[in-house]
Amino acid sequence: MQPIHLAWVDYTILLAYVAFVVGIGWALARYMKTSSDFLTSARSIPTWVTGLAFISANLGAMELVGMAASGAKYGIATSHFYWVGAIPAMVFLAVFMMPFYYGSRARSAPEYLKMRFDERVRFLNAGAWAVMTIFMSGIAMNLLAKLLHLLLNWDYGWSLWLCSAVVLLYVLKGGLTSAIYTEVLQFFMIVLGFTPVVWLGLKDVGGWTVLKGQLAGVAQNPAALALNDKTFDPNAWSSAWKPLLAGPDHNPMGVDWFAMIFGLGFVLSFGYWCCNFLVVQRAMAAKNMTAARNTPLVAAIPKMLFPVIVILPGMIAIALGSLPAKNYRIPPPIVSQESYAKAIDAVRSVKPSVADPGVTTVGTALGKKVYADRVEALISANVNNKLTDVQIKDGLYNCIAENDYDSVIPSLVEKYCPPGLLALALTALLASFMSGMAGNITAFNTVWTYDLYQSYRRLVLDRPRPATIIRADGKSEDVTFTLKDLGDAHYLWMGKVVTVVGTLLSIACAYFASHYSNAMDVVQLVFGFVNAPGFATFLLGMFWKRTTSSGAFYGLIGGIATSAVFHSLTLATGNLPGIKGGYLHVVKEYSSEMAQNFWLAAFAFIVCFLLTVVISLATRQTKSDEELKGLVYSLTPKIKDENQPWYQRPPIVGTVLIIACVILNFIFW
């Protein structure tokens, strides 16, 4: 993949966009007078804005790039992240869970757990969730820096720091409000920037019918494109349900219907959409209860249609790779110039008569799997014609038998976008990165300031302390000292400081994410560690009043520990024990990293759920029914929607959305 040279019109559009989003933060800075203004937008945002921000916070670089990567790696089964793994949970959040979040006046999801249980549960959930948001932000940062390196040949580290500085600048100035309004802008930029790329790619392939035909050929020989070592039925990449129902050996994702429905559709999906403060925060910023409940429903409408923009490009890339006349392949993983130099020397030093040792030598020098026949052909071509370094390097590029799936989107942008349209697509990439990073940073600073820092100060540092004083007459007196409240200005300052700290930590996490070729694999792994057990805690807390604080606390610890143990004992086929699992011992091997993630989430949820139930039944309930009013479903007065128009009643709108989702599943069955 050759670097792109931008025209002046491309630079103009990119710079204008960056200036505009920074200007939004600067314009909103004068309204950031309290910590509530900076961290929660003082609950003043209208429904259509929170709805688009709700979906845009999820439509970051991980979504845009990661789903395209999964579309290439797994095919149309990736649509289950939307029609099974998003819409039902978004409806459930709107109808059942938002009344508790918004009605309790909690400033964050962990603060709800404090109200429902105690500080222990809040602190544990907030700590785990803060770590998760930093990792998610780091994943987004890694993606954009890698894309800018591939597309423009910008230095990876320089890109990482520059783009992070832009996001930091407007978030530091305008807080959550700035992030929300720029997310709305980014939503439209992403749609406008990538719709032409999808349309041009689909047209180039020959339309949907031709695309399905090419994918059928790919499914029967995926090894030719370094997709999989197995052979599948022709519908493996183009059918959403048939390959899954046939079993894990019949689909490239390596999962069955139970792992998909329970692991993704229930545990990971509900854990993300219902308990992830990143998205819930957008709904909690709405101006009233009706707006808060309708926020996920407004977001669900474009969410249902996004597979066209984010999954179809990956399928198009696979079809293009199977058409020799198109001269396209998914870019391989980034190889250092030093490794290329060693491989070039290896090609020149090996004789055709001993080609097999040459294949091994070249593969070792590159540090990647290689196509043996292509390496042999390259060695022979060099013997016959004495190729230049550039020619050998180009040949080595095509010899690598691995795919960097995260590069699908940038490679299609390079292939189809002329000046002007190129800038629009690059701006959409930049917008997706900013959306993902800003969303995680604003959620992190809220959770840190309110749920970790403020909570710790009030419980430990600022709590009343008994003391004995000796008066002038020699008599002693027992008194209680209470330190002066630091005031809101201090927490506003802390929110801004931790925004900077969170950005720096995210940069460190970006390097961890660089070990994965598909962003969604590591994203779902992180969700399995945090959201899966967290969902069990929230679910029992909201819908079973007998759940105790001790049950919730120890159940959550058990669920997180189960994730760690499961990951240490399992591995995906093709991976070596280490950072991707199996670092204690490999007890079970899964067909793909995504299958490993789904089962990890399922086990974490089940263990947390059962532990919480058992411990709750064995421990005493510490809160009365009156204290739980507004926090538990059975003790909370039900919201009456009769005075609202039908299209503003969450149960009715949610039912319509579920029906539409079922229809889409049958269309692509």
Side-chain angles (χ1 to χ4, degrees), residues 330-344:
I330 296 176
I334 297 175
V335 176
S336 68
Q337 295 302 318
E338 181 182 357
S339 295
Y340 268 125
K342 291 180 180 178
I344 291 171

PDB file of all heavy atoms in Angstrom, residues 330-344:
ATOM      1  N   ILE A 330      -5.850  -6.952   0.845  1.00  0.00           N
ATOM      2  CA  ILE A 330      -5.860  -6.324   2.163  1.00  0.00           C
ATOM      3  C   ILE A 330      -4.411  -6.151   2.595  1.00  0.00           C
ATOM      4  O   ILE A 330      -3.624  -7.099   2.529  1.00  0.00           O
ATOM      5  CB  ILE A 330      -6.617  -7.195   3.179  1.00  0.00           C
ATOM      6  CG1 ILE A 330      -8.094  -7.307   2.780  1.00  0.00           C
ATOM      7  CG2 ILE A 330      -6.499  -6.613   4.580  1.00  0.00           C
ATOM      8  CD1 ILE A 330      -8.888  -8.224   3.680  1.00  0.00           C
ATOM      9  N   PRO A 331      -4.011  -4.957   3.015  1.00  0.00           N
ATOM     10  CA  PRO A 331      -2.604  -4.749   3.383  1.00  0.00           C
ATOM     11  C   PRO A 331      -2.153  -5.723   4.465  1.00  0.00           C
ATOM     12  O   PRO A 331      -2.918  -6.075   5.366  1.00  0.00           O
ATOM     13  CB  PRO A 331      -2.579  -3.303   3.891  1.00  0.00           C
ATOM     14  CG  PRO A 331      -3.740  -2.652   3.209  1.00  0.00           C
ATOM     15  CD  PRO A 331      -4.794  -3.716   3.115  1.00  0.00           C
ATOM     16  N   PRO A 332      -0.917  -6.180   4.380  1.00  0.00           N
ATOM     17  CA  PRO A 332      -0.373  -7.034   5.436  1.00  0.00           C
ATOM     18  C   PRO A 332      -0.001  -6.197   6.649  1.00  0.00           C
ATOM     19  O   PRO A 332      -0.013  -4.961   6.584  1.00  0.00           O
ATOM     20  CB  PRO A 332       0.878  -7.640   4.780  1.00  0.00           C
ATOM     21  CG  PRO A 332       1.311  -6.590   3.809  1.00  0.00           C
ATOM     22  CD  PRO A 332       0.046  -5.962   3.286  1.00  0.00           C
ATOM     23  N   PRO A 333       0.348  -6.824   7.769  1.00  0.00           N
ATOM     24  CA  PRO A 333       0.801  -6.055   8.939  1.00  0.00           C
ATOM     25  C   PRO A 333       2.025  -5.210   8.604  1.00  0.00           C
ATOM     26  O   PRO A 333       2.798  -5.540   7.704  1.00  0.00           O
ATOM     27  CB  PRO A 333       1.136  -7.146   9.968  1.00  0.00           C
ATOM     28  CG  PRO A 333       0.346  -8.338   9.530  1.00  0.00           C
ATOM     29  CD  PRO A 333       0.278  -8.267   8.042  1.00  0.00           C
ATOM     30  N   ILE A 334       2.173  -4.125   9.334  1.00  0.00           N
ATOM     31  CA  ILE A 334       3.311  -3.231   9.109  1.00  0.00           C
ATOM     32  C   ILE A 334       4.613  -3.975   9.417  1.00  0.00           C
ATOM     33  O   ILE A 334       4.749  -4.615  10.460  1.00  0.00           O
ATOM     34  CB  ILE A 334       3.195  -1.971   9.992  1.00  0.00           C
ATOM     35  CG1 ILE A 334       1.946  -1.167   9.599  1.00  0.00           C
ATOM     36  CG2 ILE A 334       4.438  -1.108   9.870  1.00  0.00           C
ATOM     37  CD1 ILE A 334       1.684   0.017  10.501  1.00  0.00           C
ATOM     38  N   VAL A 335       5.561  -3.896   8.481  1.00  0.00           N
ATOM     39  CA  VAL A 335       6.878  -4.505   8.645  1.00  0.00           C
ATOM     40  C   VAL A 335       7.908  -3.383   8.667  1.00  0.00           C
ATOM     41  O   VAL A 335       7.865  -2.467   7.843  1.00  0.00           O
ATOM     42  CB  VAL A 335       7.182  -5.484   7.494  1.00  0.00           C
ATOM     43  CG1 VAL A 335       8.592  -6.039   7.621  1.00  0.00           C
ATOM     44  CG2 VAL A 335       6.167  -6.617   7.481  1.00  0.00           C
ATOM     45  N   SER A 336       8.827  -3.440   9.603  1.00  0.00           N
ATOM     46  CA  SER A 336       9.826  -2.386   9.725  1.00  0.00           C
ATOM     47  C   SER A 336      10.770  -2.385   8.526  1.00  0.00           C
ATOM     48  O   SER A 336      10.958  -3.409   7.852  1.00  0.00           O
ATOM     49  CB  SER A 336      10.637  -2.566  11.013  1.00  0.00           C
ATOM     50  OG  SER A 336      11.446  -3.726  10.922  1.00  0.00           O
ATOM     51  N   GLN A 337      11.379  -1.227   8.269  1.00  0.00           N
ATOM     52  CA  GLN A 337      12.339  -1.119   7.173  1.00  0.00           C
ATOM     53  C   GLN A 337      13.534  -2.040   7.409  1.00  0.00           C
ATOM     54  O   GLN A 337      14.110  -2.589   6.463  1.00  0.00           O
ATOM     55  CB  GLN A 337      12.803   0.342   7.037  1.00  0.00           C
ATOM     56  CG  GLN A 337      11.705   1.310   6.624  1.00  0.00           C
ATOM     57  CD  GLN A 337      11.069   0.929   5.298  1.00  0.00           C
ATOM     58  OE1 GLN A 337      11.742   0.539   4.353  1.00  0.00           O
ATOM     59  NE2 GLN A 337       9.754   1.055   5.227  1.00  0.00           N
ATOM     60  N   GLU A 338      13.902  -2.214   8.667  1.00  0.00           N
ATOM     61  CA  GLU A 338      15.016  -3.103   8.996  1.00  0.00           C
ATOM     62  C   GLU A 338      14.705  -4.543   8.599  1.00  0.00           C
ATOM     63  O   GLU A 338      15.552  -5.251   8.041  1.00  0.00           O
ATOM     64  CB  GLU A 338      15.313  -3.019  10.492  1.00  0.00           C
ATOM     65  CG  GLU A 338      16.487  -3.888  10.933  1.00  0.00           C
ATOM     66  CD  GLU A 338      16.719  -3.817  12.432  1.00  0.00           C
ATOM     67  OE1 GLU A 338      16.000  -3.047  13.122  1.00  0.00           O
ATOM     68  OE2 GLU A 338      17.622  -4.518  12.915  1.00  0.00           O
ATOM     69  N   SER A 339      13.467  -4.978   8.860  1.00  0.00           N
ATOM     70  CA  SER A 339      13.072  -6.348   8.493  1.00  0.00           C
ATOM     71  C   SER A 339      13.024  -6.509   6.981  1.00  0.00           C
ATOM     72  O   SER A 339      13.422  -7.554   6.438  1.00  0.00           O
ATOM     73  CB  SER A 339      11.714  -6.682   9.108  1.00  0.00           C
ATOM     74  OG  SER A 339      11.788  -6.696  10.519  1.00  0.00           O
ATOM     75  N   TYR A 340      12.518  -5.479   6.298  1.00  0.00           N
ATOM     76  CA  TYR A 340      12.507  -5.538   4.826  1.00  0.00           C
ATOM     77  C   TYR A 340      13.932  -5.651   4.289  1.00  0.00           C
ATOM     78  O   TYR A 340      14.208  -6.404   3.341  1.00  0.00           O
ATOM     79  CB  TYR A 340      11.829  -4.295   4.250  1.00  0.00           C
ATOM     80  CG  TYR A 340      10.347  -4.461   4.007  1.00  0.00           C
ATOM     81  CD1 TYR A 340       9.430  -3.576   4.560  1.00  0.00           C
ATOM     82  CD2 TYR A 340       9.861  -5.496   3.208  1.00  0.00           C
ATOM     83  CE1 TYR A 340       8.067  -3.715   4.341  1.00  0.00           C
ATOM     84  CE2 TYR A 340       8.492  -5.652   2.982  1.00  0.00           C
ATOM     85  CZ  TYR A 340       7.603  -4.759   3.553  1.00  0.00           C
ATOM     86  OH  TYR A 340       6.255  -4.901   3.323  1.00  0.00           O
ATOM     87  N   ALA A 341      14.864  -4.895   4.874  1.00  0.00           N
ATOM     88  CA  ALA A 341      16.253  -4.932   4.415  1.00  0.00           C
ATOM     89  C   ALA A 341      16.842  -6.335   4.592  1.00  0.00           C
ATOM     90  O   ALA A 341      17.549  -6.850   3.704  1.00  0.00           O
ATOM     91  CB  ALA A 341      17.075  -3.899   5.179  1.00  0.00           C
ATOM     92  N   LYS A 342      16.563  -6.980   5.718  1.00  0.00           N
ATOM     93  CA  LYS A 342      17.053  -8.335   5.950  1.00  0.00           C
ATOM     94  C   LYS A 342      16.441  -9.317   4.952  1.00  0.00           C
ATOM     95  O   LYS A 342      17.126 -10.219   4.447  1.00  0.00           O
ATOM     96  CB  LYS A 342      16.720  -8.768   7.378  1.00  0.00           C
ATOM     97  CG  LYS A 342      17.496  -8.031   8.455  1.00  0.00           C
ATOM     98  CD  LYS A 342      17.083  -8.531   9.842  1.00  0.00           C
ATOM     99  CE  LYS A 342      17.855  -7.793  10.939  1.00  0.00           C
ATOM    100  NZ  LYS A 342      17.430  -8.241  12.293  1.00  0.00           N
ATOM    101  N   ALA A 343      15.149  -9.138   4.677  1.00  0.00           N
ATOM    102  CA  ALA A 343      14.475 -10.039   3.737  1.00  0.00           C
ATOM    103  C   ALA A 343      15.003  -9.851   2.318  1.00  0.00           C
ATOM    104  O   ALA A 343      15.132 -10.826   1.554  1.00  0.00           O
ATOM    105  CB  ALA A 343      12.968  -9.800   3.782  1.00  0.00           C
ATOM    106  N   ILE A 344      15.302  -8.607   1.939  1.00  0.00           N
ATOM    107  CA  ILE A 344      15.879  -8.345   0.612  1.00  0.00           C
ATOM    108  C   ILE A 344      17.224  -9.048   0.480  1.00  0.00           C
ATOM    109  O   ILE A 344      17.526  -9.686  -0.544  1.00  0.00           O
ATOM    110  CB  ILE A 344      16.018  -6.823   0.384  1.00  0.00           C
ATOM    111  CG1 ILE A 344      14.633  -6.184   0.238  1.00  0.00           C
ATOM    112  CG2 ILE A 344      16.861  -6.533  -0.859  1.00  0.00           C
ATOM    113  CD1 ILE A 344      14.651  -4.667   0.228  1.00  0.00           C
TER     114      ILE A 344
END
